[in-house]
Amino acid sequence: MIVSTNWLSEYVRVTAPVEQVVERLALSGLNHESTSTVGDDTAIEIEVTSNRPDCLGHIGVARELSVLFQRPLLIPNARPLEAGGQAGESVAVEIADRGMCPFYSARVIRGVRVGKSPSWLVSRLATVGIASVNNIVDITNYVMLECGQPLHAFDLSRVRGQAIVVRPAEAGEAFEAINHRTYELDPRMCVIADAERPIALAGVMGGADSEISDATVDVLIESGQFAPLAVRTAARSLVLASGSSFRFERSPDPAAVDWASRRAAMLILDLAGGTLEHGVATAGELATHPATVALAVDRVSEVLGVEIPWEQQQATLTALGFTEQTEGADDEISLWHVPSWRRDVTREIDLVEEVGRIVGYDLIPEDATISARPVADTRRQDVTRLASDVLIAAGCCEAMTRSVVDEVLDLFGSPWSDKPSLTISPPLVRGADRLRRTLLPSLLEARGHNLAVAAPHGDLFEIARGYLPGAELPVEPHFLSAVVGGEFEVGKGLVEAVLQRLGINASGLTGPPPRASYRPANHPLLATGRTADVMLSIAGRAATRVGVIGEIESALIAHFNLVGPVVAFELRIDTLDTVEDTDRAVVRPSDFPPVERDLNLIVDEDVSWSSLASAIDEACGGLLDRLSLTQVWRDDGRIGPGRKSVVVSLSLRSQDATLSGDEVKEVINTIIETCTRRCGAALRA
Amino acid sequence: MDLESFVLEVTRLRDEAEAAFRDVRDAASLEEARIAFAGAKSGRLKAVQKLLGGVGSTDRPQAGRAFNEVKQAISALLEAAQDRLAAATASPEAAAIDVTLPGRPLRLGRLHPITRTIREVQGIMARLGFECVDGPEVEDQWHNFEALAIPPEHPARDPLDNFYLNVARGADPLLLRSQTSTVQIRVMEATKPPLRIVSLGRVYRPDTADATHYPMFHQVEGLLVEKGTTMAHLKSVLRLFASSFLGGDVHVRFRPSFFPFTEPSVEVDMEWGGRWIEMGGAGMVDPAVLEAVGYNPDEVSGFAFGLGVERIAARRYGVADIRDFYRNDVRFLEQFG
């Protein structure tokens, strides 16, 4: 809303400089956007919140100023001289849908001279950014900007059948607006029709055929009440917002409906001549909302936390137009009648806000104390922080990508759901209307960007939700996902490090739960034969899948213009955070020396490392200090086809004594024997 | 002997030689290492050379290459150790290194600046007794609107102003939450007062992406519901927050505003670098909201405030275009310590 300072001065005389005016308005609820000079006038743009339609007119803003600067408010009179016939005989008004239009009124002025507006009117409108059209149209705009009630003027000779019918539009009904564009209407919108066709889109815009022209002699002034929803629907779906629709969407002051009509008639008689017919043709009943609200005398200080003298509260509310009622009130409770232009005030708390915003929130102290209260981070916060720390130390940057992806990214699929993804409307950005079921395609896209701009690297991770179609609300897993350059083992190493940091035994071997294990898997996005599910075993619970690791399949490497190999993983933070990092008993490091041995075991190709390692671990009976894989190699000639040589390096150590040569020999024999029995292994000399 | 075993042997020899020559400190230990690895009679190199004969003829060229490499490497190690020792005995200065040479690089990743900001806010609020809570991003209309005193005909519910889903709960389509207040409603429904929480996360509003807008952004919202809470408590908590976050004794200013779920509602300005900077919205929890979650507004009152994380982060780090937060360019991310 733009206000003119010259215009405001008609209703309230404020001598303070404009900077001060603007600041006082901002600190009482009308936020300042900008100030500019227009000729000898000053335009102030203020932001009016949707609950304050009263400030969508100069009088409303002037009322605020009159309260803030304690100056009288002068409202012009609106008593035009009536002569000639009866408006009710010139036009018949009918409302077909009271839900869309509770009340409609029409005044008739005959014999006007349409022409230029006087310069004061032209310049006032210019200050607030409205171009002059002709005196009649300018007056309807002027009155709207004065009191906030939109008006429309019709050329009466174009209103066929001397009838005004306010009704829902018919489906597909065509309407040519004053911008000379034709719109197709639907029954959610309200039209003003004459006996034959729509002549205005109610509360939004007039029609081209009935607009005021140089040839107009007789004028019909419309002032009515239109339902916010119908007006908004029309303005939005036709992209036809206007000053009128903006105000009707916020319900103007009902008391202004007739005042505005009279005020416009008076100005027309003054500036364009003519004769105002007696009375007003109406239909429906003016919708009003009389309200009386109780305010406890000590309520304001209870909410604001500062004492404000009761007399000051009374004076503030009175100046704003509230009237105190004595009947029903007592020493503790006061009763206030709400003025017609303040539909937003219906409850005691609303009155508290009125007092607070005028008296000034600056009075509220900023040294009140609150009690101390213990707060611990949630396990999810801990898990998220620990996991990110690991990945940052490993050289990955945290990314943030959009939760909603386009069809291309979506159709790559997800390791977590093969149900179609949920969609939104409108799209988040162009084409992006699918709620993602995995973060990996978005991260691959970001990696591609980094490669394209020759960034130092594109190793990225992200912690965000996915959205899986569920029974009621969708399931929203918390993912920790990453894409990094390298083969499977690089990704697995990162996963193991993250899990270890969370207190999970990540080796995939035996040991007490919580323990992770890895099994071959097949998933969209990830290369066949180079992908694993990460399983988590927790004491007393069946193993559950908490993640996937895999090399990105070559088609995606090509799609995102990446250089392979790229490995990705996606972990479920929302499952990992159910594992408590409980205080566990520390094992005292042994004081005795280790004995190191290498073993070269020949096994069938399908024997997994984890089965071999578990067998070794078990055979050592608690003496295994360290076990690592030195090498795997294959040689059809020497070892035979379908077999492989697994060279392991292990270290044995006892808690209690130095191991003797015999003891070591015995353990090694047990290892070989167990590996042979469980895995079909043969020792290669 | 097969090729793999031979290569394994060669690799091991190289590793051990590197370690041995690195540990050389004087002429005696140098000679010792020389004999052990490069000795003509029984040096380790010689021993490995003998193994070469045992490698099958097809693999022998490859094995020979591996052997030559390690031989050259050991001779280089020996020379380097001799030079080093000679330099050290010649003058201490010559043994000194150029300390301005770069260290061995360790590539560190970075936390996203939005996460950094969120953690900082969380940390400050935790010290003020606010617990961190979390909730779904896909919401039903009750939690996103009705419970927040936004009735069905309210313009905020317009399909063009929200991201509605293709699935519904009952007759009402679900939507991506437009504010994190939804989480506060969920917590209040499940918890009795007193209560101090901070909810944060992604929220979604249809806005054309430009330098200052993005249809997805992060919000931090604080909520306190206790007996006898006043706007003075709100102002004081925000002042403590601002002082902690910005450093120094920061003042807070309220400007009246309008939000459906708070009354009175205010915009919060904080004094930053001699200017009032808009930080977010706040207010006293509307009694209708307290009633909607089963609290008695005559017994408890509360305040709520919300901050836009992108806006704070952009200002703090001088990011002119908030879209940069979502481009995930490592050259951008690496600038945050």
Side-chain angles (χ1 to χ4, degrees), chain A residues 175-229:
Chain A
F175 167 71
E176 188 189 355
I178 49 175
N179 61 11
H180 295 287
R181 290 179 54 187
T182 301
Y183 296 91
E184 194 182 304
L185 310 182
D186 72 54
R188 296 171 305 156
M189 308 168 183
C190 178
V191 296
I192 314 298
D194 59 17
E196 295 169 20
R197 74 251 151 97
I199 51 172
L201 188 54
V204 180
M205 200 168 272
D209 187 58
S210 58
E211 71 178 324
I212 303 296
S213 71
D214 292 348
T216 302
V217 178
D218 299 333
V219 175
L220 182 153
I221 301 166
E222 161 196 295
S223 186
Q225 291 182 308
F226 300 112
L229 189 59

Side-chain angles (χ1 to χ4, degrees), chain A residues 260-563:
Chain A
S261 171
R262 285 185 276 116
R263 173 80 169 143
M266 201 172 83
L267 286 170
I268 290 172
L269 296 182
D270 267 4
L271 303 180
T275 314
L276 172 65
E277 291 192 342
H278 284 284
V280 57
T282 68
E285 220 170 281
L286 190 70
T288 58
H289 310 273
T292 301
V293 179
L295 176 65
V297 173
D298 50 7
R299 191 80 184 115
V300 167
S301 57
E302 277 172 15
V303 175
L304 301 187
V306 61
E307 251 353 289
I308 293 174
W310 176 243
E311 294 68 30
Q312 196 180 357
Q313 298 187 34
Q314 281 176 308
T316 303
L317 291 173
T318 306
L320 284 167
F322 295 85
T323 40
E324 189 171 5
Q325 290 180 6
T326 46
E327 197 175 325
D330 58 35
D331 282 354
E332 282 167 16
I333 308 281
S334 67
L335 288 173
W336 294 87
H337 182 70
V338 180
S340 62
W341 59 87
R342 291 303 303 273
R343 264 188 78 181
D344 58 308
V345 177
T346 57
R347 304 165 306 162
E348 184 179 46
I349 194 71
D350 302 325
L351 290 177
V352 172
E353 180 170 46
E354 287 307 296
V355 173
R357 74 181 181 89
I358 297 295
V359 171
Y361 290 140
D362 285 351
L363 295 179
I364 296 174
E366 51 177 22
D367 57 357
T369 52
I370 58 169
S371 58
R373 196 162 175 270
V375 173
D377 280 354
T378 62
R379 179 69 185 152
R380 180 163 299 175
Q381 282 176 285
D382 288 342
V383 164
T384 306
R385 194 180 51 245
L386 292 169
S388 344
D389 286 353
V390 169
L391 293 172
I392 284 166
C396 304
C397 280
E398 189 193 12
M400 277 196 186
T401 59
R402 290 191 289 267
S403 314
V404 193
V405 296
D406 62 19
E407 186 179 16
V408 176
L409 292 199
D410 183 52
L411 289 182
F412 287 128
S414 156
W416 305 99
S417 173
D418 51 11
K419 289 192 191 135
S421 55
L422 300 160
T423 62
I424 57 163
S425 172
L428 190 75
V429 295
R430 189 197 307 256
D433 65 349
R434 315 284 183 98
L435 292 188
R436 60 181 173 181
R437 297 165 295 167
T438 165
L439 316 188
L440 296 179
S442 315
L443 286 173
L444 290 170
E445 194 175 59
R447 183 175 175 85
H449 165 78
N450 277 290
L451 209 63
V453 299
H457 66 90
D459 293 348
L460 301 171
F461 73 97
E462 179 169 12
I463 296 169
R465 287 157 183 263
Y467 314 87
L468 309 179
E472 271 225 324
L473 281 180
V475 178
E476 296 184 18
H478 262 70
F479 288 132
L480 162 63
S481 314
V483 295
V484 295
E487 293 178 331
F488 180 85
E489 59 183 16
V490 172
K492 187 169 177 193
L494 291 173
V495 168
E496 287 173 338
V498 167
L499 295 180
Q500 271 157 19
R501 194 75 182 87
L502 301 182
I504 293 165
N505 173 359
S507 67
L509 304 182
T510 52
R515 188 177 69 239
S517 58
Y518 310 86
R519 64 175 193 203
N522 260 322
H523 291 299
L525 305 154
L526 306 174
T528 309
R530 308 183 77 80
T531 297
D533 280 337
V534 183
M535 307 299 294
L536 176 70
S537 313
I538 303 176
R541 271 193 261 170
T544 49
R545 180 161 75 117
V546 291
V548 296
I549 317 170
E551 288 180 20
I552 296 299
E553 65 179 21
S554 54
L556 271 85
I557 298 281
H559 176 85
F560 291 107
N561 291 317
L562 303 176
V563 178

Side-chain angles (χ1 to χ4, degrees), chain A residues 587-603:
Chain A
V587 179
R588 185 165 185 280
S590 167
D591 293 326
F592 301 96
V595 179
E596 316 223 335
R597 287 287 185 276
D598 287 356
L599 294 176
N600 187 346
L601 298 164
I602 309 291
V603 291

